[in-house]
């Protein structure tokens, strides 16, 4: 319960009792000044943050959408209607980037299932669960630049991973140079780097699970898959939903560093994602209005994918 | 019972392998940094016979790494200070003070959480350029503050809402104004939260490359992560020196992780379970 004006009220009788003569007026003035400062305090506390968020986060969003309907270069600032969008959807690079988003969506269940399964085992206390928890989490704190650089060394054509494959009798794979493979390589590295984050979220979801349910299932003789299917998945539906959405957002917005370091969008533009495309149009091609159109599309894609996931997961959650 | 114990170990096997796959890439890089070029080319897997630091020294002194490191420290320190100050003030106001429009403001902050940098980067950089903030430390600090503030406010508000109103009421009866409650109750009692959120934000800012790339175009203002990407071109034939550069960028993160592992995990999960 906030008690914004409690202090002045309680202080008033004491002050009024002591205040006499000429001092009263000035004291009362000071007191009302204190009162209004007190009443304004929530706004004073929150104003700097709101200012920063509105000026540098929300306003640019509107600015960007508006900007996407204007031209670049010679047509700088002129309204061009949907020209940018038409050009965008005719550009094979951008279509490739959207196709890669499709791959992300398809691979999303894998990216959620891996940390989910591992968290289940850790929760059920496999030997060494404490150790695994901290080891698995650790790549999640590394920068994509560091992760990308390390995997550039590991995945180079004559690098350690191919050497290992040779030992087992499999041919070398051109992990980053083959346009059919590269996007999956980058995605795999992204999953390697981020599953620890989802794992920790899963574990905190497990902390809210009622252990009595697990004991009951066990004493009824449920097998591990049955426990997972009938106790853990329904009990964690909120956490699973959260991980699905955050993992998807992570894939759409935090792979820039990996792509920048590992493939630069190549080979042949096969590893483009919308965010990388925006950066190229803005930074390299100097086409900010066109880049804004791509940004708007990315925003819509995220909105649609996010809402679709939430409604899908809610429906499956109800069926259980 | 015995069967359950056996299957536990069957699960532990793949888990141990995965743990190895998680650690080994870093071990490989650290090892490469300790080798001579010749040793690395002859055998990548063999462990370095001695710990040699000359590659690290080369990576540190050449290519401006020391400069980039200093830039990163300045920017991260500035951004974390701003984030903690603004985030704790707003978090306190939103969790403990009820005022006109507080709910709308809270929802506004949450909405900003779902506006990724990629979507606003073009107009943001333009605005920053118009105001002369591009390629300056305050500009990048401000960009990071804007980027991570919604999340920081959200975390601080959820931490602060755990502080019972009895305590703040008592402080008011003792004659504290709202500012006094913030300074004498919220800041000291919120210290664990400030530490967790500060560490997490420091990692975010230290690890970022996209915002730094856009906001700090000139070489002298490069942050360390952008510097590492430029090292690659420079030392493509000298893997041990390149690996050393990667290590220099990773070691502060590793140290922070070892010290604050629990706090980072707490801060990450505080965002997931509440609300």
């Amino acid at each position: 319960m906030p008690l914004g004006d409690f202090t002045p009220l309680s202080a008033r009788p004491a002050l009024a009792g002591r205040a006499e003569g000429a001092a009263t007026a000035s004291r009362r003035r000071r007191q009302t000044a204190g009162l209004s400062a007190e009443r304004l305090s929530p706004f004073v506390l929150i104003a700097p943050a709101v200012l920063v968020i509105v000026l540098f986060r929300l306003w640019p969003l509107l600015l960007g959408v508006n900007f996407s309907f204007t031209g670049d270069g010679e047509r700088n600032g002129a309204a061009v209607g949907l020209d940018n969008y038409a050009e965008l959807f005719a550009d094979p690079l951008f279509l490739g980037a959207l196709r890669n988003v499709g791959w992300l969506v398809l691979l999303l269940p894998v990216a959620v299932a891996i940390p989910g399964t591992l968290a289940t085992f850790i929760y059920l206390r496999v030997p060494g669960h404490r150790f695994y928890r901290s080891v698995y989490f650790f790549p999640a704190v590394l920068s994509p630049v560091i992760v990308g650089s390390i995997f550039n060394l590991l995945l180079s054509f004559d690098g350690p991973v191919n050497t290992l494959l040779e030992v087992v009798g499999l041919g070398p794979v051109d992990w980053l140079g083959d346009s059919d493979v590269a996007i999956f390589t980058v995605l795999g590295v992204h999953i390697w780097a981020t599953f620890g984050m989802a794992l920790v979220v899963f574990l905190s979801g497990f902390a809210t699970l009622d252990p009595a349910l697990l004991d009951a299932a066990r004493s009824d003789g449920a097998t591990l898959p049955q426990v997972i299917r009938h106790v853990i998945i329904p009990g964690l539906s909120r956490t699973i939903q959260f991980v699905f959405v955050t993992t998807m957002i992570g894939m759409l917005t935090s792979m820039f560093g990996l792509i920048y370091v590992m493939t630069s969008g190549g080979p042949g533009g096969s590893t483009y994602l919308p965010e990388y495309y925006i950066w190229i149009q803005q930074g390299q091609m100097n086409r900010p209005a066109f880049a804004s159109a791509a940004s708007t599309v990315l925003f819509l894609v995220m909105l649609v994918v996010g809402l679709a996931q939430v409604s899908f997961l809610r429906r499956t959650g109800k069926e259980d | 019972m015995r069967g359950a114990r056996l299957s536990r170990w069957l699960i532990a096997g793949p888990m141990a392998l995965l743990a190895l796959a998680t650690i080994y890439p870093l071990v490989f890089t650290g090892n490469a940094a300790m080798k001579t070029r010749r040793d690395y080319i002859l055998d990548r897997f063999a462990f370095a016979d001695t710990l040699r630091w000359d590659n690290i020294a080369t990576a540190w002194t050449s290519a401006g790494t020391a400069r980039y490191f200093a830039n990163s420290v300045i920017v991260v320190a500035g951004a974390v200070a701003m984030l903690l100050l603004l985030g704790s003030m707003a978090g306190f106001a939103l969790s403990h003070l009820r005022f006109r429009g507080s709910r709308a403001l809270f929802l506004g902050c949450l909405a900003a959480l779902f506006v990724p940098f990629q979507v606003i980067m073009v107009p943001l950089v333009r605005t920053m350029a118009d105001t002369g903030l591009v390629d300056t430390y305050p500009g990048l600090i401000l960009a990071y503050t804007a980027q991570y503030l919604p999340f920081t406010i959200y975390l601080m508000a959820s931490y602060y809402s755990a502080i019972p109103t009895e305590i703040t009421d008592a402080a008011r009866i003792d004659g504290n104004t709202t500012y006094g409650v913030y300074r004498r109750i919220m800041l000291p009692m919120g210290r664990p939260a400030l530490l967790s959120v500060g560490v997490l934000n420091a990692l975010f800012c230290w690890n970022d490359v996209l915002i730094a790339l856009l906001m700090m175009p000139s070489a002298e203002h490069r942050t360390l992560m952008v510097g590492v990407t430029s090292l690659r071109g420079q030392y493509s034939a000298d893997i041990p020196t390149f690996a050393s550069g990667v290590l220099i960028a990773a070691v502060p993160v590793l140290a922070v992780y070892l010290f604050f592992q629990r706090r980072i995990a707490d801060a990450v999960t505080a965002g997931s379970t509440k609300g």
Side-chain angles (χ1 to χ4, degrees), chain B residues 34-53:
Chain B
M34 293 296 143
K35 286 179 168 183
T36 62
R37 260 170 87 178
R38 192 168 165 277
D39 283 347
Y40 181 79
I41 292 166
L42 285 178
D43 187 350
R44 276 143 215 227
F45 296 103
F47 281 96
D49 41 9
T50 57
L51 293 181
R52 59 179 79 241
W53 302 98

Side-chain angles (χ1 to χ4, degrees), chain A residues 150-307:
Chain A
I150 291 175
F151 274 88
N152 268 349
L153 297 182
L154 293 175
L155 295 169
S156 63
F157 197 72
D158 54 353
V161 173
N162 277 339
T163 313
L164 204 70
L165 283 183
E166 230 165 278
V167 172
V168 229
L170 296 166
V173 177
D174 195 359
W175 297 102
L176 296 168
D178 183 333
S179 57
D180 292 327
V181 177
I183 184 69
F184 299 105
T185 306
V186 177
L187 256 170
V189 173
H190 177 77
I191 293 175
W192 176 89
T194 55
F195 79 92
M197 201 65 103
L199 179 98
V200 168
V201 173
F202 268 120
L203 284 174
S204 82
F206 273 117
T208 63
L209 200 66
D210 184 2
L213 279 177
L214 276 183
D215 291 340
R218 270 205 199 118
S219 63
D220 287 348
T223 61
L224 182 63
Q226 282 173 330
V227 170
I228 294 176
R229 167 114 177 64
H230 296 290
V231 181
I232 292 178
I233 290 181
L236 288 187
S237 61
R238 270 185 65 91
T239 309
I240 295 171
Q241 190 172 316
F242 180 85
V243 173
F244 255 97
V245 174
T246 50
T247 305
M248 188 73 228
I249 292 177
M251 282 178 160
L252 281 173
T253 60
S254 53
M255 283 179 67
F256 175 86
L258 278 186
I259 295 175
Y260 182 73
V261 170
M262 292 181 77
T263 65
S264 307
S270 63
T271 54
Y272 265 72
L273 282 177
E275 57 167 334
Y276 191 75
Y277 185 87
I278 298 167
W279 183 76
I280 289 284
Q281 294 301 336
Q282 150 87 2
Q284 314 304 111
M285 306 296 180
N286 196 21
R287 301 196 55 192
F290 185 61
S292 285
S295 296
T296 308
V297 173
L298 172 62
F299 189 55
L300 291 177
V301 166
M302 293 184 58
L303 224 56
V304 168
V305 171
L307 291 177

Side-chain angles (χ1 to χ4, degrees), chain A residues 11-237:
Chain A
R12 195 169 297 154
L15 276 172
R18 259 184 283 140
E20 293 282 340
T24 317
S26 82
R27 199 161 290 180
R28 188 167 297 147
R29 209 173 302 128
R30 215 180 308 142
Q31 204 179 322
T32 47
L35 240 173
S36 69
E38 186 63 20
R39 200 171 310 125
L40 282 178
S41 60
F43 302 101
V44 174
L45 286 169
I46 208 170
V50 168
L51 208 65
V52 168
I53 289 176
V54 169
L55 275 184
F56 299 108
R57 203 88 192 257
L58 298 178
W59 179 238
L61 184 63
L62 297 178
L63 223 52
V65 174
N66 186 39
F67 200 36
S68 71
F69 298 108
T70 67
D72 287 309
E74 285 170 18
R75 299 160 79 192
N76 186 15
V80 296
L82 291 170
D83 281 11
N84 286 329
Y85 292 91
E87 191 185 339
L88 202 54
F89 284 99
D91 183 353
L93 265 184
F94 187 70
L95 294 177
L98 286 184
R99 194 190 53 233
N100 286 337
V101 168
W103 281 118
L104 298 186
V105 176
L106 285 178
L107 282 172
L108 184 63
V110 180
V112 176
I114 293 173
T117 314
L118 292 169
T120 308
F121 293 147
I122 289 176
Y123 176 69
L124 297 174
R125 288 166 207 268
V126 290
H129 58 276
R130 264 175 232 282
F131 171 74
Y132 290 132
R133 186 193 157 115
S134 44
V135 167
Y136 292 159
F137 183 52
F138 130 80
V141 300
L142 290 179
S143 166
V145 167
I146 296 171
V147 172
S149 301
I150 291 175
F151 274 88
N152 268 349
L153 297 182
L154 293 175
L155 295 169
S156 63
F157 197 72
D158 54 353
V161 173
N162 277 339
T163 313
L164 204 70
L165 283 183
E166 230 165 278
V167 172
V168 229
L170 296 166
V173 177
D174 195 359
W175 297 102
L176 296 168
D178 183 333
S179 57
D180 292 327
V181 177
I183 184 69
F184 299 105
T185 306
V186 177
L187 256 170
V189 173
H190 177 77
I191 293 175
W192 176 89
T194 55
F195 79 92
M197 201 65 103
L199 179 98
V200 168
V201 173
F202 268 120
L203 284 174
S204 82
F206 273 117
T208 63
L209 200 66
D210 184 2
L213 279 177
L214 276 183
D215 291 340
R218 270 205 199 118
S219 63
D220 287 348
T223 61
L224 182 63
Q226 282 173 330
V227 170
I228 294 176
R229 167 114 177 64
H230 296 290
V231 181
I232 292 178
I233 290 181
L236 288 187
S237 61

Side-chain angles (χ1 to χ4, degrees), chain B residues 74-97:
Chain B
I74 293 170
V75 169
V76 170
V80 169
M82 286 280 283
L83 281 163
L84 290 184
L85 180 67
L86 301 191
S88 64
M89 277 165 37
F92 164 51
L94 291 172
S95 62
H96 277 263
L97 310 175

Side-chain angles (χ1 to χ4, degrees), chain B residues 115-162:
Chain B
V115 180
F117 180 77
Q118 282 79 354
V119 171
I120 57 165
M121 67 186 185
V122 177
L124 181 68
V125 172
R126 244 173 106 93
T127 313
M128 293 269 190
D130 288 346
T131 43
L133 283 167
V134 165
D135 215 25
T136 64
Y137 293 120
L140 186 54
I141 288 171
L142 209 56
Y144 283 144
T145 307
Q147 176 64 18
Y148 303 116
L149 190 56
F151 185 59
T152 305
I153 292 176
Y154 175 63
L155 288 184
M156 289 314 299
S158 59
Y159 273 114
Y160 279 154
S161 57

